[in-house]
Amino acid sequence: MAAPAPHGTQTLTEHHWAPERLGRITSLCDEAVSSTPGIRSLSHFGNGILDFVVCRTDRRPLGAMVGDLGDERDEESLPGSRLLLSTQDVGVLLQPLGTGELMRTVVANGEGCLWGGRVKPGEYLAAVTDSAEGADAMDAAMNALVTRIRTEVHRLPDELPGGDPAARPGPSRVDEGRTRLRVDFGTAATPEPAYEERLRALWLGHLNTNDLQYAAYYRDWTLVCAGDVFESDDLGPKFLGVSVRTRRTAYRELSRSLRGHLIRLADALGLVAPARADRPAVERLVLDVQEGAIYLAWTSSREFLVGVTLDQTQVANADARLQRLAGAVRGLTAPPR
């Protein structure tokens, strides 16, 4: 299949930009934008300072959403800058989990997507798409771009942002006896055995030790149910430094702690992709760390799921599986209270 035709781009540099320092990185960024139609703009930051922005020349103005900043660089970099500032605080929340640094964040709704990522400490990229159709292509392009800059420019190893494309997903249904699935029900669950059994069947059909290893379902920020396969023998090495009980508690605490940060993430996304009145401001959030990822997927403005994988190679597969679980939960009607 022929390579896609390149799209027109322009590069807006700051006064400290210099070809010997940033020229190779700039050319890689320009290549990524020109070959990925979904990317509206891409910003590069060094030590918290904007270095340059690569934009598509046919982009529509952001206009009133960002205000009159008087400078195209500021206008295009603002959503990504706010995203990266928010992820600094989110990264602190994730540190007690012991799964490494936050290196990739994806925040999306039905109108667009923001991508923020760490190339190495002190060097960050942010990308924007103002169409929902461009989100997946932007995500894949930015993951590949980070890897190219790390390996070709900095001579650093690949950290597999977004997971390993060659990784095979786990089974569609687990052997319950071997994987030791545990499902607990929270105060938002209706105490009705048939309803609980339907939820348990969904968790049994989507969780496994290979990719999606934990999932929790919330309604109005109150737990409906949470399930995991953490007690399985296959995952034993993942708990050398932290107990299963501690990790379960940490993910529940994280779900509560993220509530305030989601407001800031939604504000950043709203600059380029304001949500429709009948939809959540954020519909998908990915927090990709060095050892796996945490996902949030909204099924409505009141309900969302949290998913976890502890395997970095399986980040994409676990993401896709949580989306399937979210779709199944969306179709599950709760009995009346």
Side-chain angles (χ1 to χ4, degrees):
M1 184 173 66
H7 293 257
T9 64
Q10 63 179 138
T11 301
L12 310 172
T13 62
E14 289 285 1
H15 68 278
H16 61 269
W17 186 94
E20 64 273 11
R21 295 178 59 250
L22 294 162
R24 173 60 175 155
I25 296 173
T26 304
S27 65
L28 290 174
C29 291
D30 180 80
E31 181 181 332
V33 176
S34 63
S35 62
T36 311
I39 300 180
R40 173 193 169 90
S41 62
L42 186 163
S43 304
H44 183 279
F45 297 86
N47 296 315
I49 300 173
L50 178 67
D51 297 315
F52 63 86
V53 182
V54 180
C55 314
R56 287 188 59 187
T57 54
D58 61 349
R59 67 191 185 279
R60 62 178 178 82
L62 290 179
M65 288 183 285
V66 298
D68 184 11
L69 299 178
D71 188 297
E72 285 185 296
R73 288 170 300 188
D74 294 338
E75 179 181 281
E76 289 298 331
S77 65
L78 182 61
S81 175
R82 289 191 177 180
L83 171 65
L84 293 175
L85 285 173
S86 297
T87 58
Q88 290 180 3
D89 295 332
V90 173
V92 174
L93 287 180
L94 302 181
Q95 288 179 357
L97 296 171
T99 49
E101 297 294 323
L102 177 60
M103 59 182 186
R104 164 180 164 260
T105 303
V106 179
V107 55
N109 59 23
E111 308 303 314
C113 178
L114 299 181
W115 186 101
R118 172 181 64 80
V119 177
K120 64 184 184 69
E123 183 179 1
Y124 299 86
L125 293 172
V128 174
T129 180
D130 50 12
S131 71
E133 295 77 15
D136 290 342
M138 179 177 74
D139 190 14
M142 293 304 297
N143 294 338
L145 174 62
V146 165
T147 296
R148 290 194 68 185
I149 295 175
R150 281 183 62 85
T151 59
E152 297 178 17
V153 178
H154 300 308
R155 301 296 190 267
L156 293 171
D158 182 1
E159 290 188 309
L160 295 177
D164 183 354
R168 300 185 63 179
S172 58
R173 187 176 181 86
V174 300
D175 178 344
E176 189 172 2
R178 174 176 171 78
T179 56
R180 302 178 191 174
L181 173 70
R182 171 172 169 165
V183 178
D184 297 318
F185 294 92
T187 56
T190 302
E192 205 267 344
Y195 176 62
E196 293 183 353
E197 190 58 33
R198 290 197 296 271
L199 284 173
R200 181 178 176 83
L202 287 180
W203 262 242
L204 182 62
H206 289 82
L207 267 61
N208 61 72
T209 57
N210 197 52
D211 45 62
L212 185 62
Q213 297 146 352
Y214 172 98
Y217 172 29
Y218 289 83
R219 183 182 300 121
D220 296 325
W221 291 93
T222 305
L223 182 67
V224 176
C225 73
D228 64 68
V229 291
F230 289 162
E231 295 178 3
S232 302
D233 293 342
D234 293 343
L235 293 181
K238 300 291 186 182
F239 295 92
L240 291 176
V242 60
S243 70
V244 169
R245 181 177 180 181
T246 297
R247 191 172 291 281
R248 284 181 180 135
T249 302
Y251 287 128
R252 294 194 188 187
E253 291 292 336
L254 177 65
S255 300
R256 288 191 285 266
S257 301
L258 281 173
R259 187 172 185 178
H261 296 281
L262 281 166
I263 297 174
R264 297 173 61 192
L265 293 170
D267 287 344
L269 180 60
L271 293 175
V272 69
R276 296 180 182 177
D278 60 338
R279 299 298 304 167
V282 174
E283 297 184 33
R284 176 173 173 251
L285 174 65
V286 179
L287 303 173
D288 190 349
V289 292
Q290 290 172 299
E291 296 180 34
I294 300 167
Y295 318 91
L296 275 73
W298 276 258
T299 59
S300 73
S301 58
R302 296 179 53 205
E303 299 173 313
F304 67 93
L305 276 75
V306 177
V308 172
T309 183
L310 300 174
D311 189 333
Q312 186 57 32
T313 65
Q314 294 287 343
V315 165
N317 291 328
D319 192 355
R321 195 179 297 274
L322 181 70
Q323 294 300 321
R324 293 195 292 272
L325 176 58
V329 169
R330 189 182 290 113
L332 179 65
T333 302
R337 293 183 179 274

